[in-house]
Structures are given as structure tokens and as C-alpha cells.
Amino acid sequence: MVVTEPRYVYAGFQSHTRGTIVKTPTRIASAALLSLTLLFAFSANSFAQKRSSHSKTNSLTRSELKQAQGRLAEMGYGKGGLIAFQKYEGRKPTGQLNRAEFDAIINATAPQPKDSGYKHVEVDLDRQVLLLTDEDGQVKKVLPVSTGSNKHYREKGMSGLAYTPRGRFRIYAKMSGWRKSPLGLLYYPNYFSDGLAIHGNPSVPQSPQSHGCIRIPMSAAVEMSRQLPVGTILLIYDNQSFVSAKDWVTSTVGVRTPN
């Protein structure tokens, strides 16, 4: 009598084992695969739900977006003034309006100038913002700026320290359109010390990067030029330096605008 050993099929091949018979039916493999598939599907669904919940928490409604823009305008930051707001408030200047930024905008108070009681312009070097005030000294406009990097430079045959001076100044000359300077082009420059000026520039980095001038966004250059006639008082300061110019308010200067 011939005894035939049991034969077991697994995943399409046969197995003959003497002494020990390993039983691995196809149904076990199928069950394991099904379990893995269900586990993956559950994990993916859980991740999607968390991501959706996070998105809903941070996204803003159309009404909230309008509310934030209105509040920025009320405080002097104007349309698109989120970067200036973030700089003034010491927040990371991302330019992105999310839930955290919305809450900060709604709860913020309007910027206050260092000097008050007369029309002038201030540049806060620590915050990297420009503040334009009205005749009562109330802030009417806030712009992001980029000032001197405080680094030594050697460019176009010139060398020096990229430094924006601190103190009180007057706008002594101004020009419309583009002005070519030894170190580059200036858009609607408003000169306040030697060849240094408040001017428009296509690049206004979030940190001090200029040769000493005060860069402002191109979109604000024309209007800012109108707001800074010759003789306008300019205060430039950081947390260690500030000089009031109230005693200059009644004084006059006889500087003519170049042709």
C-alpha cells in the first residue's frame, strides 16, 4: 500500500515537507491582506479628517477677510498692509492672513508716533516701518521699509558702510520718476541726508538690506512723494536713539527742488 503525503497549496505553489507539515491556507493570506487594507484606509481617513479640521480652524470667511482689511485700513496700514502690521507688532512678516493673524489684527491698537502734535514722518529702524503723521501727529500711513544693512560694501567702484543715520532731518530735495545714483536706481526719491533718500524700490526685503537709503514699496512711492514736500521733518531712530524735532516745527529752510 502506498501512502501519499498531504499536499498544501499556498499562493500558487506546492509544498512537500517530510516530518513537519506546514499548513498555510490561502484564506489566511487573504485575511491578512484585508486587515492591512482596512488599517491603511482607516489611517488615511483619520489623517484627512485631522487635516480638514485644521484647515477649517485656520481658514477665514469672506466676511472675516473684509473685517481684517477694514481694521488694517483704520489703523493706517491700508490695503495690503499686512506686512507692515506684522513688522510693527513684532510678528513674523509672512504676509499670510490666517486665523492667528486675524485675531492679532482685531485686538491690536493703532500705531503711535514717538513725536506728536505736528505733521512729520518717522522711520523706526528696529521695526523696519515708516510712520506718516498728520498735523495733529496722528499716524495716517504705515509702510514696510528696508534700511541700511550696517555691513561694509564694495560695489561699482565704491566702498563704505551701509548705514542709515539716526537723528532728525528735513527733506531737502526730491525728484519725480527714476533717478540714477552711483549705486542704483531710485524711484521718486525724497532726499534727507547727502545722497540718502526715501524712495521706491522693487525689492523691499523684510530685513535691513539697503546701502543706507530708506526703501519703500513701489506702489506707495508716488503718493509718499506727494506727502513729503521739501521741508518735511523726518525722524529716524532705534531703541537706543531718539531726538525730538518739536523745536523745528516753526523753523524754515530755504532749499530749492532741483530742476
Side-chain angles (χ1 to χ4, degrees):
M1 179 177 180
V2 179
V3 179
T4 304
E5 294 181 353
R7 303 175 69 186
Y8 295 88
V9 179
Y10 174 70
F13 61 86
Q14 297 177 335
S15 174
H16 299 271
T17 306
R18 289 186 178 276
T20 303
I21 300 176
V22 180
K23 298 182 179 180
T24 55
T26 303
R27 70 177 66 177
I28 296 178
S30 299
L33 180 60
L34 178 61
S35 297
L36 288 174
T37 302
L38 291 174
L39 178 61
F40 176 78
F42 176 79
S43 299
N45 184 57
S46 178
F47 174 78
Q49 289 180 345
K50 288 181 180 180
R51 185 174 181 179
S52 176
S53 177
H54 178 75
S55 177
K56 289 180 180 179
T57 301
N58 285 276
S59 62
L60 299 175
T61 65
R62 188 171 299 180
S63 175
E64 288 173 326
L65 289 172
K66 187 175 181 180
Q67 184 180 0
Q69 292 169 353
R71 181 60 184 144
L72 286 173
E74 287 176 3
M75 294 188 289
Y77 295 103
K79 184 178 181 180
L82 181 56
I83 290 289
F85 169 80
Q86 291 171 328
K87 280 188 163 188
Y88 185 84
E89 295 293 332
R91 305 177 69 82
K92 188 175 180 179
T94 62
Q96 297 179 354
L97 182 56
N98 53 28
R99 177 65 57 185
E101 298 308 309
F102 173 81
D103 292 340
I105 290 170
I106 298 304
N107 294 306
T109 56
Q112 297 296 317
K114 285 280 191 179
D115 239 3
S116 61
Y118 64 100
K119 184 176 181 178
H120 65 286
V121 62
E122 298 184 5
V123 173
D124 187 326
L125 297 174
D126 295 318
R127 289 187 169 106
Q128 288 289 284
V129 295
L130 176 151
L131 309 176
L132 176 68
T133 76
D134 60 14
E135 289 76 7
D136 297 323
Q138 298 298 311
V139 174
K140 305 305 292 183
K141 187 71 175 178
V142 187
L143 294 175
V145 302
S146 182
T147 58
S149 65
N150 292 326
K151 297 178 181 178
H152 288 276
Y153 64 87
R154 187 179 297 275
E155 299 176 28
K156 301 179 180 180
M158 300 184 65
S159 63
L161 179 65
Y163 180 76
T164 300
R166 282 71 167 159
R168 56 186 185 180
F169 308 87
R170 284 185 185 272
I171 302 299
Y172 70 84
K174 57 197 294 103
M175 296 188 71
S176 299
W178 289 98
R179 166 70 174 174
K180 186 176 181 180
S181 75
L183 291 171
L185 294 173
L186 314 180
Y187 189 61
Y188 278 82
N190 306 273
Y191 295 96
F192 62 88
S193 178
D194 296 328
L196 299 179
I198 298 173
H199 67 86
N201 193 286
S203 175
V204 183
Q206 311 306 345
S207 58
Q209 295 292 331
S210 80
H211 293 99
C213 284
I214 298 168
R215 298 182 189 177
I216 62 175
M218 293 286 288
S219 59
V222 176
E223 178 60 28
M224 187 54 56
S225 181
R226 295 194 186 109
Q227 296 292 334
L228 302 178
V230 170
T232 299
I233 293 174
L234 166 63
L235 306 179
I236 305 176
Y237 53 83
D238 56 24
N239 59 8
Q240 296 180 338
S241 64
F242 172 74
V243 180
S244 173
K246 287 186 177 181
D247 57 336
W248 279 15
V249 176
T250 57
S251 65
T252 60
V253 292
V255 181
R256 293 187 302 172
T257 303
N259 297 326

